[in-house]
Amino acid sequence: MNSMSEHFGWVEIVFTAVIALGFGVYQLWSVNREIAKDKEAAKRKTPQDER
């Protein structure tokens, strides 16, 4: 048990890093998807829509 408890710190660090990086990647993916939607909507917009 002693040798196992020496690694709990690393397990916690890795687990926290995976959660944080996963959330960051999800946010980046989500923002890029919204930007693409906005660009597509801007392409579809015609000058008559501005009146």
Side-chain angles (χ1 to χ4, degrees):
M1 181 67 181
N2 191 17
S3 66
M4 181 68 173
S5 63
E6 292 175 6
H7 301 291
F8 284 150
W10 286 108
V11 170
E12 184 178 354
I13 290 169
V14 169
F15 182 74
T16 303
V18 166
I19 298 293
L21 290 174
F23 183 71
V25 168
Y26 168 75
Q27 288 293 314
L28 181 62
W29 174 68
S30 178
V31 167
N32 285 338
R33 188 176 55 182
E34 287 298 320
I35 290 172
K37 283 182 185 179
D38 290 345
K39 285 182 180 179
E40 188 65 32
K43 285 181 184 178
R44 291 183 194 166
K45 191 174 184 181
T46 62
Q48 292 177 345
D49 293 340
E50 294 177 1
R51 292 182 193 176

